[in-house]
Amino acid sequence: KRLQSEEKYSAAQKKALVAYENFTESRSKNNSKLFDVLRLLTEVSFELEENDSVFKYASIILDKNKDHDQKLFAYKYFGHAFLEIEYYESAIFYYERCLVIGLEAKGPKGKEVGNAFGNIGNAYLNKGEYAKAIDYYLKSLAIELETLGPEDSRVASTSYSLGEAYYEEKRS
């Protein structure tokens, strides 16, 4: 099943690369479509564990756009890629940037804020700083419960991560 997913991601990546080349060659003024392609390339590169490409495409997004949503997206994927290669402090740095932008753009109850808290919690969990992970997961869970409701799968995921952090804290 993993191979099938990888093949689909590779095919999507090839098509997105062609679209990106067409945009850059034509110097199209349709920036929204260009950013859609760059976002797709970033996401697919992350799924294929091609972190250098994640950094490349997320950097292009940041260089060419100052929109809050685009910056949130790019910083989130910087964080994800750094977390993947176990550069926890760098991951935390970018997730904290997401938190600041989310608070400014969406307010304290925005889903972006909840996501940022959860991602910071993930970084601290992987880093072995369980008390900090618990603190961030609790903040994320409070926002998710209020904005998404208890039945949402993201609430279940954060609850699981919170339980894992508590378990690891007790073991250490």
Side-chain angles (χ1 to χ4, degrees):
K1 190 171 185 174
R2 169 87 177 135
L3 182 59
Q4 286 177 330
S5 293
E6 204 168 293
E7 288 173 359
K8 288 180 183 178
Y9 283 120
S10 293
Q13 186 180 44
K14 287 177 186 170
K15 289 178 182 178
L17 282 169
V18 169
Y20 178 67
E21 288 172 15
N22 289 338
F23 272 109
T24 55
E25 288 173 8
S26 71
R27 303 198 193 291
S28 172
K29 299 290 185 212
N30 191 347
N31 281 340
S32 67
K33 291 292 183 194
L34 172 62
F35 287 113
D36 288 346
V37 170
L38 286 167
R39 287 171 71 115
L40 176 63
L41 284 167
T42 304
E43 291 172 327
V44 168
S45 296
F46 179 74
E47 292 298 328
L48 291 171
E49 299 177 2
E50 296 176 359
N51 291 314
D52 289 342
S53 294
V54 172
F55 295 132
K56 173 184 172 182
Y57 299 122
S59 293
I60 294 169
I61 291 169
L62 284 177
D63 288 344
K64 294 183 177 288
N65 197 310
K66 302 304 176 210
D67 176 75
H68 287 304
D69 290 334
Q70 298 293 357
K71 286 172 31 176
L72 276 167
F73 176 88
Y75 289 144
K76 177 178 73 173
Y77 273 93
F78 274 126
H80 289 351
F82 278 120
L83 187 63
E84 189 72 26
I85 59 175
E86 300 179 1
Y87 283 48
Y88 302 124
E89 290 302 321
S90 295
I92 291 165
F93 173 81
Y94 284 104
Y95 290 145
E96 286 175 342
R97 292 187 85 166
C98 289
L99 180 59
V100 169
I101 294 169
L103 285 167
E104 289 173 359
K106 310 293 182 176
K109 300 297 182 191
K111 73 174 188 164
E112 296 80 1
V113 174
N115 289 341
F117 281 137
N119 287 331
I120 294 168
N122 290 339
Y124 279 119
L125 179 67
N126 283 289
K127 192 176 177 194
E129 294 186 28
Y130 306 118
K132 287 183 179 180
I134 290 166
D135 182 49
Y136 282 100
Y137 287 140
L138 287 170
K139 291 174 183 178
S140 178
L141 190 59
I143 292 169
E144 290 172 350
L145 283 168
E146 187 173 322
T147 59
L148 303 172
E151 302 299 320
D152 192 276
S153 64
R154 289 167 285 191
V155 171
S157 178
T158 300
S159 297
Y160 177 86
S161 297
L162 178 61
E164 186 178 6
Y166 276 123
Y167 174 78
E168 292 298 335
E169 183 181 49
K170 293 262 188 234
R171 286 180 22 138
S172 59

